[in-house]
Amino acid sequence: MKERLVQLEVLRYNPDTDTEAHFQRYEVMCQEEWVVLDALNKVKESIDPTLNYRWSCHMAVCGSCGMMINGEPKLSCHAFLRSYEGVIRVEPLTHFPVERDLVTAPDDFMEKLKRVKPYVITKQKKPIEEGEYKQTPAQLMKFRQYSMCINCMLCYAACPEYGLTPHFVGPAALTLAHRYNLDSRDEGRKERMEVVATREGVWECTFVGACSEVCPAHVDPASALQQLKIVGSIDWIVEHLLPGGKSAGDTVSRKNAGDIP
Amino acid sequence: MSRNPLIREVPPTTWFFRHPRYVRYMAREVTSLFVGAYCVLLVVAMQRLSAGPAAWQGFLDALRGPAGIVFHLLAMAAAFYHAGTWFNATQKAMPLQIGEEFVNGSYISGAHYLVWAVLSVAVLFFTGVF
Ligand code: SF4
Ligand code: FES
């Protein structure tokens, strides 16, 4: 098997001693077909056991190994060494606080995910004896693509709006809101739109499109957000311009936006 | 273990130099200024028209000058680019599902380009260009 000497420049930050982050250079012998995560593992095993980073599945499904690789948000288990030349610069996901080295704090994303209520909401629970909630293949296809999100947060690292306005609910969470809104079993659209159709919801998005370019699961969050803008606008027209539409207070209230049952 | 996370600020005015895709985005946004400027020009045109034949003729002569022509070429290029980004976005914003399949996005954007071309030809026809 072909081997190759790989040079990595890794951002280091130790919360106990550092006030700033700095780059550290490592050189490791790697197999030609390895990914960046393999190279980091080799560094940790053979050179520097203090290096910190997250990973679990090594197969692009758990979403925990996101990092900036040469300035691009990537899953490090999906970033092949052969696609890079020269020194590979590895940094923690941008726009998130750095806990230690390549480990970032996902708390803000988690909180936003909860706010959009990413689960099926029904007004009345069906008794189990009545059987399952059925769905046709066409009904499934309506939202299937948006259910492929692995919560890797690469889209948040790519989104300049999120970087500049951290209160933006952001691509993945809004996309999941759309996914459940489109689900034929769901009745929670109105609750979700209280979070979605707001300034810090979908209207913060200016359609840079970076989220869709970096998404490793081909979710295309940008498309979900543009669709949500249309849905939100139609809701607004129905409420404000059509006779008999509900009062504005009904849907712009943010009172219970943070609740989860 | 206590937490002491490091916050890295985003440079508020130079952030779009961080990646070519951000520069592309800014280019798209900047082209809208030309579209806006052209709208202002149309308002000025109406004002000149209402001010009488001499004012209108003066306005037309000014447009035929080199500055007028350069502005029109720039505004047209910007408007084409800006409109293109919109039409390309339609397939994302308005997907069309028939049964289990989604209609190929290029048809949706293509239909918008087609309507655009037809309307443009119609406008040129009714204004007597041909
Ligand atoms: S939408 Fe894509 S990039 Fe964003 S968290 Fe989900 S899988 Fe990751
Ligand atoms: S380790 Fe699971 S996505 Fe990379």
Side-chain angles (χ1 to χ4, degrees):
Chain A
M1 248 177 282
K2 251 173 83 185
E3 292 211 319
R4 160 177 167 192
L5 186 69
V6 170
Q7 291 183 307
L8 297 172
E9 208 166 61
V10 183
L11 199 75
R12 305 290 316 263
Y13 170 69
N14 182 342
D16 301 324
T17 54
D18 298 347
T19 50
E20 265 179 67
H22 62 276
F23 280 102
Q24 186 165 350
R25 181 80 71 103
Y26 299 104
E27 279 186 14
V28 265
M29 220 30 160
C30 295
Q31 310 275 346
E32 183 64 25
E33 72 278 6
W34 278 6
V35 290
V36 171
L37 178 60
D38 296 320
L40 290 172
N41 283 340
K42 182 85 184 276
V43 168
K44 192 168 170 86
E45 267 167 37
S46 59
I47 305 176
D48 186 352
T50 69
L51 182 62
N52 283 274
Y53 49 94
R54 284 200 188 96
W55 69 284
S56 175
C57 70
H58 199 289
M59 51 195 284
V61 292
C62 75
S64 50
C65 70
M67 304 169 189
M68 305 302 286
I69 301 178
N70 284 354
E72 185 79 4
K74 287 266 181 201
L75 296 177
S76 55
C77 70
H78 208 221
F80 286 88
L81 291 173
R82 59 172 174 264
S83 345
Y84 299 94
E85 273 170 27
V87 183
I88 304 175
R89 189 172 257 236
V90 187
E91 295 166 76
L93 277 187
T94 187
H95 302 159
F96 289 97
V98 184
E99 289 286 8
R100 183 184 289 264
D101 298 341
L102 301 172
V103 176
T104 53
D107 309 41
D108 184 54
F109 172 61
M110 294 303 168
E111 185 271 325
K112 283 164 176 168
L113 209 49
K114 279 186 203 161
R115 256 164 62 189
V116 301
K117 308 191 179 192
Y119 37 82
V120 170
I121 298 172
T122 48
K123 293 204 179 99
Q124 227 148 26
K125 287 250 174 334
K126 212 161 72 159
I128 276 191
E129 309 80 67
E130 281 181 35
E132 58 281 78
Y133 290 89
K134 293 208 171 120
Q135 203 159 46
T136 65
Q139 286 170 330
L140 168 69
M141 286 313 285
K142 220 172 160 192
F143 65 81
R144 189 174 173 276
Q145 173 190 355
Y146 300 133
S147 67
M148 294 299 177
C149 175
I150 58 172
N151 297 348
C152 65
M153 308 189 296
L154 297 194
C155 50
Y156 284 75
C159 176
E161 289 302 334
Y162 179 63
L164 293 165
T165 1
H167 60 244
F168 177 33
V169 178
L174 288 166
T175 300
L176 275 176
H178 193 48
R179 175 250 174 276
Y180 284 95
N181 285 352
L182 291 175
D183 193 315
S184 59
R185 300 162 296 183
D186 180 79
E187 295 171 306
R189 190 175 87 98
K190 190 162 171 274
E191 290 172 49
R192 281 185 213 103
M193 289 312 273
E194 285 178 9
V195 184
V196 168
T198 59
R199 184 80 194 274
E200 60 192 54
V202 81
W203 296 112
E204 194 64 65
C205 166
T206 57
F207 195 15
V208 180
C211 51
S212 296
E213 287 180 37
V214 303
C215 175
H218 307 291
V219 170
D220 197 357
S223 70
L225 268 69
Q226 307 326 302
Q227 289 164 33
L228 282 172
K229 286 179 190 171
I230 296 182
V231 173
S233 304
I234 294 175
D235 284 355
W236 189 90
I237 290 170
V238 169
E239 263 167 49
H240 294 82
L241 304 180
L242 295 189
K246 287 167 270 107
S247 76
D250 276 0
T251 50
V252 291
S253 145
R254 308 253 316 105
K255 265 199 307 266
N256 302 316
D259 284 5
I260 61 162
Chain B
M1 198 175 65
S2 68
R3 288 170 74 170
N4 178 25
L6 176 74
I7 314 282
R8 292 166 301 164
E9 300 293 340
V10 176
T13 48
T14 54
W15 60 268
F16 57 92
F17 292 120
R18 285 180 148 193
H19 200 288
R21 69 165 66 92
Y22 299 160
V23 177
R24 277 202 300 281
Y25 158 74
M26 281 311 249
R28 182 192 81 192
E29 299 298 278
V30 165
T31 53
S32 69
L33 295 180
F34 286 91
V35 178
Y38 202 83
C39 293
V40 172
L41 187 78
L42 290 179
V43 173
V44 173
M46 280 199 275
Q47 194 275 332
R48 295 283 79 196
L49 191 60
S50 67
W56 176 242
Q57 196 52 48
F59 175 73
L60 288 185
D61 291 343
L63 286 192
R64 289 200 188 96
I69 290 173
V70 169
F71 172 74
H72 271 80
L73 288 176
L74 279 177
M76 186 162 80
F80 272 121
Y81 182 78
H82 199 82
T85 60
W86 268 99
F87 292 145
N88 294 343
T90 53
Q91 55 181 286
K92 295 202 174 230
M94 299 184 280
L96 189 60
Q97 189 184 4
I98 299 181
E100 288 168 38
E101 300 294 324
F102 280 92
V103 173
N104 187 321
S106 53
Y107 290 118
I108 296 171
S109 294
H112 282 84
Y113 280 107
L114 191 70
V115 172
W116 184 30
V118 169
L119 287 179
S120 300
V121 170
V123 167
L124 291 175
F125 178 77
F126 286 117
T127 50
V129 174
F130 48 73

